[in-house]
Every structure is written in C-alpha cells, then in structure tokens.
C-alpha cells in the first residue's frame, strides 16, 4: 500500500475544519453533471403568513410573527410585516411555521410503491463495491410516496441506494415536487452523496453466497482496497497523463476530494470508530452515520469529527447489531461535546417520512422523562438545519433566513404534538400542498380509492 500523501492529508484536514484551501491545491474530480437538474420553481405570487409561532430552524423561536416569501425566497421574518401589493396573505393565528422538513435517508422512487419486484431498484447486488451506480437513474417520479411525504411537510430528501453492498453508489437530493423525470425534481447544485454500509448486510448477503466479504474483516478489507484504487486514480488525475474516466473510481475519488458527501449505514459504535479511522486513512470526511443505534457510545468522537448522527427515534432489536440501543440515543448525540453534536432524525421508511415531526416529538418525550427539557425551537433543527448540513445544502435550505429557498410548512399546532398536521406546504414560495383544498393535494393512480393523507 502506498504511503499517505502528507500534502493531501493536510489539505483534507483543513477542509474538514473549514479553513479553506487555494483553488489549485487539489484537482477537481467532477466536471459538469452529465444529467443536470432541470428543476424550475413554480411561478407563484408573493406570500405573507401572519401572526404565527415561527421556528426559524436555527434555535430561534418568534411568537406572533410573520414570514414573507418573495420571488420564491424567504424575504423577511419578523413581527408586523407589510404585505406587498398583490401578495397572498395567510392568517397563521394559533398556528406554527417551520422550514420545510428534510429527510436525509429515503428510498422513495428506488423502492417505490406498489412494492413489486419490478420497483426494486435500490441495490445493485452484483459486486460488494458498486460506486459506479447512481440512485437517480432508478428514481420513479410517480412513486405515490412523494405525495404522502409532501403531506407530512417534507420538501427535500436524499434518495440513497440500499445497504446491501459495502459501497452502494451515489445518492441524489430531490426537491419534493411533481415531475415526469427525476431531473425535474433534482435539487439544483446539491452535492451527491456516497452510500456505504457497515456490518451485517453486506457480509450476510455475499457470505451467504460463499463470496467475499463474509466477515467484518472482509468488509474493512473491501473498503480499503476500493479506496487504495481510488487514491491512485486521484493522483493520476493530477498528473501529466490523466487516466481514462472510470465511473467506479471517479465517485470514490470525488468523495476523498470532498466533492461528494459520505453517508454511512452503520449500527455498532466499534464499527463507526473503525470507519472514522478509515476516513482518516484515506482523507475523507464522514458527513453522517445513518441508523447508528449505538451512536451514544461515541457521541463525543462524532462531535469532534464534525460527523452527524442520522438516527431513528426508537427503532431497535430487529437484528443483532441493532440490539444495544437506548431511547436517549438522539439526545446524547445532540448534547455531546458541550452541545456541539449534530443529531438528525431520519426515516428510511415510506411511512416514517410522513411523520418526521412526530419522530422528533418522541425524542422530546424521552428527554422529558429523563428530566431534560427540549424546546421545540431546538428540536426542529433535527429535521431542518442539521439535516441540511448533512446533505451539504445548508446555504439554500434548512432555516428561514433571508435569501434561502422559500420552503415553508404551516402547521395547525405545535408540530411535535401527536395531533399536529401540516396544513400548507410551500416549495420555493409556491403553495404545493393545502390540506383544505383538494386541488392542492397529491393524486396518484396507485392510491385510487385510498385516503393516504
């Protein structure tokens, strides 16, 4: 194995710490997107939502406040705002406003409903390392799960490959809007994510076929061999004779280069620690560990690494690596390192994505029973600001700040109540869902005769 390049190691550390680097310090792996977003926001009038409780998404709460959406962006948040001429005015008295919710772990479109083998497109189980595949090329925009997620206030989501392989491929961030093609849904400018998986899934599948990996030793060897090849590819890109484009190595090299977010399915604390060591060995940063039922055991290490825990509120016990869970998992990750932890509530479920607010509400309840009072303005970060950070889109969404995309949800009451419902959902300032207007509710041939909302 080649020794680490100390120059690129130092650069990666600087990038992880937000210190920046000169533009020519490292070659760019990804050029133009060959399948660029064609998303266009829906034209809509300016909108003023008045006199609501506003959770900004950054820990701030404003009572009896207004939110002004102009030209598809958040224009102002405050009290006593004037409505522009021809603006739509919505009375929010007694209601609550949050940023649009963000699910960082979804398989909508690649494991679409109805749940047929024909719709099972999330795992390319032909090799333990399939970094060459992109989830976006399997997204079926007609999946009715997108509509039910919208009714739950979800405006953006990361669609990931499944967790059957050591390295499953690229994930794509979508805006939750209707489209005939996935590109019409593709979040403009959002980075891709690399999906990796620890533990039981890859070793169980391939080991069951008498192939590698069949142990956790084999898992780690598989990651290392893949990144050794990618490191060599990255070095050649910076040389006088760049190599022929290799889709498999390109994705891994871009992850090492910080151009692709790294998302890792991992349950056990010891394996998460190993993956952090792997990241150090190969100069990449782990954006988040997903599921992480034992994240509480290494919460301080995650905070120090700047790695988020994208976690369930209470899923556990469905396989051996999910047994040693505690309901306080999210709380501990959130409060780690003197409150510098990054906790995210995710779904990994076509049903759970409809109720991210209630999943976060469960954590508030767990905290209350433990004597920890979690304010709504703090908890909302788990499904807005922190989620946006995990996906690398925090400059565009996640908080109600001036200039950000006008992705907004109006709730009938405190969104963390079991009785809460999203009444209206705006995406880029356009009203895309209205619980009181059938014309603004998702309709699908595949839910005919049902009431999924």
């Amino acid at each position: 194995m080649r020794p680490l390049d100390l120059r690129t190691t130092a650069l990666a550390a600087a990038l992880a710490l937000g210190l920046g680097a000169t533009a020519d310090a490292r070659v760019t792996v990804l050029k133009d997107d060959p399948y660029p977003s064609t998303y266009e926001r829906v034209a809509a009038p300016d909108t003023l939502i008045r006199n609501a409780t506003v959770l900004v998404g950054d820990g701030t709460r404003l009572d009896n406040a207004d939110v002004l959406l102009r030209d598809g962006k958040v224009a102002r948040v405050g009290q006593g705002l004037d409505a522009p001429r021809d603006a739509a005015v919505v009375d929010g008295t007694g209601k609550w406003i949050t940023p649009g919710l963000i699910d960082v772990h979804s398989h909508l479109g690649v494991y679409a409903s109805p749940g047929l083998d024909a719709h099972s497109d999330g795992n390319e189980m032909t090799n333990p390392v399939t970094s060459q595949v992109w989830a976006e090329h399997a997204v079926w925009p007609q999946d009715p799960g997108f509509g039910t997620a919208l009714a739950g206030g979800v405006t953006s989501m990361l669609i990931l490959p499944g967790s059957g392989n050591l390295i499953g491929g690229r994930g794509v961030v979508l805006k939750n809007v209707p489209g005939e093609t996935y590109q019409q849904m593709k979040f403009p400018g959002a980075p891709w994510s690399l999906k990796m998986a620890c533990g039981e899934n890859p070793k169980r599948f391939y080991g069951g076929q008498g192939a590698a990996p069949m142990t956790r030793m084999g898992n780690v060897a598989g990651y290392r061999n893949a990144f050794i090849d990618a490191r060599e590819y990255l070095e050649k890109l910076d040389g006088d004779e760049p190599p022929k484009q290799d889709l498999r190595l390109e994705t891994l090299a871009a992850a090492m280069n910080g151009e692709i977010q790294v998302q890792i399915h991992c349950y056990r604390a010891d394996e998460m620690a190993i993956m952090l060591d792997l990241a150090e060995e190969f100069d990449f940063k782990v954006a988040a560990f997903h599921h992480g039922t034992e994240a509480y055991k290494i919460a301080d290490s995650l905070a120090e690494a700047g790695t988020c825990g994208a976690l369930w509120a209470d899923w556990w016990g469905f396989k051996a690596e999910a047994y040693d869970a505690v309901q306080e998992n999210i709380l501990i990750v959130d409060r780690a390192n003197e409150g510098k932890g990054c906790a995210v509530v995710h779904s990994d479920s076509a049903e759970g994505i409809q109720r991210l607010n209630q999943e976060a509400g469960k954590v508030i309840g767990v905290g209350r029973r433990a004597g920890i009072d979690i304010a709504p303005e703090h908890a909302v970060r788990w499904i807005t600001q922190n989620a946006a950070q995990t996906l690398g889109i925090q400059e565009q969404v996640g908080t109600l700040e001036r200039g950000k995309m006008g992705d907004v949800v109006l709730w009938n009451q405190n969104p963390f109540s079991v009785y809460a419902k999203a009444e209206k959902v705006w995406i880029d300032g356009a009203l895309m869902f209205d619980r009181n207007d059938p014309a603004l509710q998702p309709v699908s041939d595949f839910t005919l005769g049902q009431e999924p909302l």
Side-chain angles (χ1 to χ4, degrees):
M1 185 176 69
R2 297 187 179 194
L4 290 176
D5 183 331
L6 295 179
R7 179 183 65 84
T8 55
T9 302
L11 173 62
L15 291 172
L17 292 171
L19 301 180
T22 58
D24 60 351
R26 176 178 277 187
V27 64
T28 299
V29 176
L30 302 178
K31 309 303 182 183
D32 293 336
D33 183 354
Y35 304 93
S37 170
T38 59
Y39 169 77
E40 294 183 5
R41 73 177 185 90
V42 175
D46 296 341
T47 300
L48 179 65
I49 313 169
R50 280 183 166 157
N51 200 36
T53 300
V54 179
L55 304 181
V56 175
D58 61 358
T60 303
R61 169 176 171 165
L62 300 173
D63 294 318
N64 302 315
D66 311 331
V67 174
L68 175 61
L69 305 178
R70 177 181 288 159
D71 297 327
K73 304 286 188 182
V74 177
R76 291 189 65 190
V77 179
Q79 295 177 328
L81 303 185
D82 293 327
R85 180 179 298 177
D86 300 326
V89 179
V90 177
D91 183 10
T93 303
K95 300 175 183 179
W96 293 54
I97 295 172
T98 68
L101 307 191
I102 303 168
D103 192 352
V104 304
H105 192 118
S106 177
H107 301 296
L108 291 181
V110 297
Y111 283 114
S113 298
L116 309 173
D117 287 345
H119 289 168
S120 180
D121 289 311
N123 275 312
E124 180 64 29
M125 302 294 284
T126 53
N127 190 287
V129 177
T130 56
S131 46
Q132 73 274 12
V133 303
W134 299 8
E136 63 194 74
H137 296 146
V139 169
W140 186 45
Q142 285 184 260
D143 185 350
F146 290 120
T148 52
L150 180 65
V154 174
T155 56
S156 301
M157 65 195 80
L158 174 62
I159 307 301
L160 289 165
S163 56
N165 290 334
L166 296 175
I167 302 175
R170 291 193 202 182
V172 62
V173 182
L174 301 182
K175 300 279 284 189
N176 195 9
V177 296
E180 287 78 40
T181 69
Y182 82 86
Q183 287 165 279
Q184 293 174 344
M185 305 172 71
K186 194 170 179 178
F187 194 115
W192 285 287
S193 283
L194 174 66
K195 173 67 179 297
M196 299 177 64
C198 298
E200 293 183 29
N201 285 16
K203 82 184 191 76
R204 180 176 63 235
F205 178 82
Y206 289 98
Q209 296 184 332
M214 64 172 57
T215 65
R216 284 179 165 85
M217 295 185 294
N219 284 358
V220 176
Y223 309 133
R224 296 185 74 200
N225 279 329
F227 279 108
I228 287 169
D229 289 344
R231 182 170 59 197
E232 183 175 352
Y233 182 78
L234 183 57
E235 290 170 352
K236 288 181 179 179
L237 284 176
D238 206 11
D240 295 331
E241 297 184 9
K244 176 184 176 181
Q245 184 179 18
D246 184 312
L247 295 178
R248 176 176 174 272
L249 297 178
E250 180 181 73
T251 293
L252 297 176
M256 294 172 66
N257 212 26
E259 297 172 56
I260 291 179
Q261 304 285 102
V262 178
Q263 318 286 348
I264 305 181
H265 159 120
C266 209
Y267 287 78
R268 284 182 7 187
D270 58 313
E271 289 190 273
M272 286 184 261
I274 289 171
M275 298 307 281
L276 289 176
D277 287 342
L278 182 82
E280 183 175 353
E281 179 181 7
F282 291 102
D283 287 350
F284 65 85
K285 182 179 184 297
V286 180
F289 286 112
H290 293 232
H291 312 334
T293 48
E294 294 185 16
Y296 64 94
K297 296 181 181 180
I298 58 166
D300 284 341
S301 296
L302 298 180
E304 290 168 7
T307 296
C308 298
L311 312 169
W312 291 302
D314 55 5
W315 285 23
W316 75 284
F318 45 89
K319 53 183 175 176
E321 63 188 2
Y323 265 49
D324 202 7
V326 298
Q327 287 189 313
E328 296 81 6
N329 194 25
I330 290 174
L331 291 176
I332 294 170
V333 170
D334 180 68
R335 294 162 63 86
N337 200 12
E338 299 181 350
K340 297 178 182 177
C342 174
V344 178
V345 175
H346 73 354
S347 79
D348 191 24
S349 163
E351 290 76 35
I353 194 172
Q354 302 170 35
R355 302 169 182 87
L356 281 183
N357 59 311
Q358 293 183 5
E359 294 300 302
K362 291 178 183 178
V363 182
I364 294 175
V366 168
R368 188 174 297 122
R369 290 193 292 275
I372 302 171
D373 186 23
I374 304 294
E377 55 266 30
H378 182 85
V380 76
R381 298 176 64 212
W382 304 334
I383 46 180
T384 57
Q385 185 182 51
N386 291 357
Q389 175 185 325
T390 297
L391 304 187
I393 54 175
Q394 65 270 29
E395 298 303 318
Q396 291 79 35
V397 291
T399 56
L400 300 176
E401 296 180 80
R402 178 177 293 185
K404 289 194 175 184
M405 293 175 170
D407 295 358
V408 177
V409 184
L410 180 67
W411 303 86
N412 64 332
Q413 57 182 282
N414 183 331
F416 302 112
S417 165
V418 70
Y419 301 107
K421 292 183 178 181
E423 286 197 351
K424 298 179 188 291
V425 182
W426 290 265
I427 297 181
D428 281 316
L431 185 60
M432 303 300 292
F433 174 80
D434 188 335
R435 193 168 294 275
N436 299 312
D437 184 354
L440 285 170
Q441 295 174 6
V443 176
S444 168
D445 292 342
F446 299 100
T447 55
L448 188 65
Q450 303 177 45
E451 296 182 1
L453 304 181

